[in-house]
Amino acid sequence: MNDILTEATAAAYVAAAGFRVGPVGRVGVELEYCVRDLSKPLHRPAPQRLLDLLAHLGNPLPGGSGVTIEPGGQLELSSAVGASMAGCVAALGRDLALVRSALAGHGLVLDGTGLDDVRAPLLVTDHPRYVALAEYHDRSGPNGLEVMCNSASIQVCLDAGGDDADGSDGGGYRRRWWLADALGPVVMAAFANSPHRSRSGRRWVSHRQGLRFGTDASRTRAPRRDGDPRAAWSRYALAAKVAMIAGPGRWHVPAGLTMRGWLRGYGPRPVTLEDLERHLGTLVPPVRPRGYLELRMIDQQPGDGWVVPVAVVTALLDDPQGAEAAAAATEPLRSPLRRHRDWVGAAREGLADPALAAAALACFTAAGDVLRRQGAPLAVRDAVDEFTDRYVARGSCPAEDRREQRRKIRVGAGG
């Protein structure tokens, strides 16, 4: 891990490691939750306290999920990789129920929202990685720390795909990378659950993603799409700014140093493979290739609503007919020269945008058909159908529920 890298070696490594080819079908899920103490709404439970309360369950949990604590005290469950969507959802659901029950006995709940808009951001760890990352973000404003400490997402991880030259069967990694990127704004808009209105009147349905886009653009925007995903990802990763350089004691936080610049000798020391891997772990575009495809644009959902994006995304990417329907539905949304604007627009307007609403309804309808044809568990199918009827068919999203709840609270307080 300590071998010194050249720029050519690093570029080749990133390209190969980003997309590990093979059959599709496996599913992994990561669930982040802000943790609340019902008796002390502004309090952040200490990370060690959370781990101690869950220690009797084991880590990994009985269903194979790993438990970690994020820098703001968010609790994260990382599922075992399931051989199918249904198997992954069932195992993770059992583990989540155990965690909720253990925490509830101590007055703690997992908040099903995409962004904690009540408590001020606070770093609750002294791990040098997170201390350095917080320092890096502090240089450009408060957005980065708020994302680190107050955001919660659902991350769906699917196989990168096969190595066929043209992706004609729908399972090739080139085609899947393109489709995941095309679907991303639709999925983000449909599951937006972090509403916000700025002082200037700017409206967001996914403020979590808006805040992320407002940090370092070199590490948060979607990579440019072209015919070679591996080359595109390699260019993106090497052009991205380096957030931290590990060392003994306090880690170094460079200013304006890209990974390519570091590889060319402009950093404090040569680059090792461990440095490169750490850098890749700090890159957070909406879809991140980590050997598999990691879809990161989904806000956390209330209750067991996390099941719906997992089922929908899997149906539209892993099933050939679902993928064909999704490609057709997103065709009118393609604007590669304005792709970042498309992402930001989805985070602001959600399904209030007619084009996004039409694409979402077509995609969710197709996903429902896939799940019925595949014989997915009835509870999963019902959850997708209910979400489609309640939100997508009405051009709405969970963020609108939160807005309505706030309005009622304000009206009640004023009356």
Side-chain angles (χ1 to χ4, degrees), residues 95-127:
D95 284 345
L96 179 58
L98 290 173
V99 168
R100 282 176 168 156
S101 178
L103 296 180
H106 298 270
L108 302 177
V109 297
L110 303 181
D111 191 353
T113 58
L115 190 70
D116 178 356
D117 56 5
V118 176
R119 297 175 292 191
L122 178 67
L123 197 69
V124 296
T125 175
D126 59 0
H127 191 288

Side-chain angles (χ1 to χ4, degrees), residues 193-269:
N193 190 32
S194 51
H196 177 74
R197 187 179 292 275
S198 69
R199 292 180 181 178
S200 65
R202 176 168 288 174
R203 178 182 185 271
W204 298 89
V205 291
S206 180
H207 193 218
R208 179 190 70 88
Q209 193 62 50
L211 286 170
R212 189 177 291 284
F213 286 145
T215 63
D216 176 9
S218 77
R219 298 167 48 255
T220 62
R221 292 190 180 190
R224 291 183 179 273
R225 293 187 302 188
D226 62 24
D228 187 347
R230 285 177 165 162
W233 177 240
S234 183
R235 286 194 302 270
Y236 180 95
L238 268 58
K241 294 177 182 176
V242 176
M244 66 191 77
I245 297 177
R250 189 178 182 86
W251 290 13
H252 176 58
V253 180
L257 177 68
T258 66
M259 175 52 70
R260 180 172 287 109
W262 190 6
L263 288 161
R264 291 178 178 179
Y266 295 103
R269 58 171 174 77

Side-chain angles (χ1 to χ4, degrees), residues 153 155 208-209 212 284-286 288 294-298:
S153 69
Q155 298 172 23
R208 179 190 70 88
Q209 193 62 50
R212 189 177 291 284
V284 285
R288 181 170 72 174
E294 185 180 75
L295 282 75
R296 306 176 55 88
M297 76 293 294
I298 307 168

